[in-house]
Amino acid sequence: MATRRMKHRKKKRKTWFLITLSTLLLLAGGGAAYLYSVYNNVKTTVDDDIHEEVSGIDNEATKEKVEDEDPINVLLLGVDERENDTGRADTMIVMSLDPANDRMQMISIPRDTRTEISGENVTDKINHSYAYGGSEMSVNTVEDFLDIDLDYYVRMNMDGLSQMVDAVGGIEVTNDQAFSQGGYDFEEGDIELDGDEALAYVRMRKDDPEGDAGRNDRQREVIQGTIDQGANANVANNIDDMMDVLGNNAATNMKFEDMRNLATNYRSARHEMETYQMKGEDTYINDIYYLNVPDSEIAKTREKISEYTSG
């Protein structure tokens, strides 16, 4: 239940797109035959099931950056896809990795941000870019909105995140306010969540005084908690379940070799992490709610990213 207190301390945070490699590396002592089986399971899942190119990213340029261990930008998409619905990208995070300075940055773009949808000649909420054209359109729209280059993207269906929480045996989070959502009561403090509870936890927004910003904080926390638990060698027996969840619910333009290079060359970036939530003003246009992000805030965010990636 969500009201149970956690007794063990938190593990170090890891970047969520390295889930498969983090687990793999921690299994290194488990025997050569078993490691070979796990290695091939992970490689097959990544290369055959979740690899999905987008034309908006220059893969050759990215490959050169990674080989030179230059800073890179990764777009993290948490998509809420339901039956008979193309879905919305309810979580949009630009993650910048700067291995030379052992640091990373995660900037959340509010889902209701009003901007032009790339290639559609229409102004709409930025999370609707996914409904217009999937990951491809989301990548292009975020690049145009912030005037940046993205090197990778990772997409996870939020229902898949729920399944992953169950696959790793549940997670721990620190809740900063008591609330009820989806039939569950969440106490303030350290709590345990199973998959269904985790999904309800991240979907609460209307009763949060921080609104979308508070929801984004909870989404980041659940993602990080899942990776913390998934990187625990004690869940080795669940690796098949974890790969099944990824294969059915995730997509990325990374291939297994890209992930392995990142795990090797960029792991120091997690030593120092900074987060930022873009800000704006509430506005209604034709009775539709939007967040109007001023040019000054966009410029500030672009400068934050540039400070990490300009080298």
Side-chain angles (χ1 to χ4, degrees):
M1 292 296 295
T3 56
R4 289 177 298 184
R5 298 281 176 168
M6 298 301 295
K7 296 181 180 180
H8 56 281
R9 65 183 183 180
K10 287 185 176 294
K11 308 174 187 70
K12 291 182 179 180
R13 292 177 175 177
K14 298 175 177 65
T15 55
W16 68 283
F17 71 98
L18 293 179
I19 181 168
T20 54
L21 273 302
S22 296
T23 303
L24 178 63
L25 293 173
L26 287 170
L27 290 173
Y34 181 69
L35 181 60
Y36 179 80
S37 175
V38 171
Y39 178 96
N40 280 278
N41 191 353
V42 174
K43 186 177 188 303
T44 298
T45 298
V46 174
D47 289 348
D48 295 348
D49 296 334
I50 72 174
H51 180 253
E52 182 181 293
E53 296 287 354
V54 294
S55 62
I57 292 178
D58 187 337
N59 293 321
E60 290 304 314
T62 294
K63 183 178 181 180
E64 291 181 8
K65 287 183 183 180
V66 173
E67 288 177 349
D68 294 338
E69 298 182 29
D70 291 335
I72 59 172
N73 292 320
V74 183
L75 178 63
L76 310 180
L77 297 171
V79 179
D80 203 350
E81 292 180 309
R82 308 183 191 186
E83 189 174 356
N84 300 320
D85 184 5
T86 56
R88 304 287 188 273
D90 282 344
T91 301
M92 306 183 84
I93 299 172
V94 175
M95 180 169 63
S96 302
L97 302 177
D98 180 10
N101 294 297
D102 297 340
R103 61 180 183 167
M104 62 180 288
Q105 177 179 249
M106 297 176 71
I107 293 181
S108 294
I109 304 173
R111 67 176 196 166
D112 295 321
T113 298
R114 189 170 185 266
T115 190
E116 183 176 341
I117 306 299
S118 297
E120 292 294 322
N121 194 28
V122 63
T123 300
D124 204 338
K125 297 181 180 182
I126 196 166
N127 74 322
H128 288 186
S129 59
Y130 186 80
Y132 280 101
S135 302
E136 177 93 38
M137 192 69 73
S138 293
V139 165
N140 292 341
T141 299
V142 170
E143 285 189 326
D144 289 346
F145 174 61
L146 292 175
D147 191 22
I148 62 171
D149 290 326
L150 293 170
D151 300 292
Y152 293 114
Y153 83 92
V154 181
R155 185 187 79 228
M156 172 69 87
N157 188 335
M158 297 306 290
D159 283 335
L161 183 60
S162 171
Q163 296 170 31
M164 184 62 76
V165 169
D166 284 335
V168 301
I171 63 170
E172 62 174 282
V173 297
T174 301
N175 185 24
D176 61 5
Q177 61 179 307
F179 66 90
S180 297
Q181 174 74 19
Y184 299 102
D185 297 321
F186 301 95
E187 291 184 354
E188 184 176 350
D190 295 335
I191 58 176
E192 288 180 340
L193 303 175
D194 64 20
D196 289 339
E197 291 166 342
L199 197 57
Y201 182 77
V202 301
R203 280 179 169 163
M204 196 280 278
R205 179 171 67 119
K206 293 183 179 178
D207 294 332
D208 193 320
E210 298 296 325
D212 202 41
R215 180 186 185 182
N216 286 342
D217 286 341
R218 281 186 294 279
Q219 289 172 338
R220 284 195 298 265
E221 189 175 17
V222 166
I223 290 170
Q224 290 162 351
T226 303
I227 301 315
D228 286 345
Q229 188 69 10
N232 186 338
N234 292 332
V235 301
N237 292 333
N238 297 337
I239 191 68
D240 288 339
D241 291 339
M242 294 166 65
M243 290 303 100
D244 285 343
V245 173
L246 284 176
N248 293 326
N249 295 281
T252 178
N253 64 320
M254 295 183 203
K255 301 202 77 171
F256 180 77
E257 189 66 23
D258 299 321
M259 288 187 176
R260 191 168 65 177
N261 288 339
L262 287 173
T264 301
N265 300 330
Y266 286 74
R267 59 188 175 190
S268 67
R270 70 172 185 262
H271 291 164
E272 178 183 334
M273 182 176 71
E274 180 178 345
T275 63
Y276 183 71
Q277 172 81 32
M278 293 189 71
K279 302 174 180 63
E281 299 177 352
D282 298 343
T283 185
Y284 284 87
I285 299 175
N286 297 326
D287 294 327
I288 299 175
Y289 170 76
Y290 297 94
L291 187 75
N292 184 37
V293 178
D295 291 341
S296 58
E297 176 69 3
I298 296 173
K300 176 182 177 180
T301 302
R302 186 184 304 123
E303 180 62 28
K304 281 181 170 291
I305 295 172
S306 177
E307 198 267 326
Y308 269 73
T309 59
S310 62

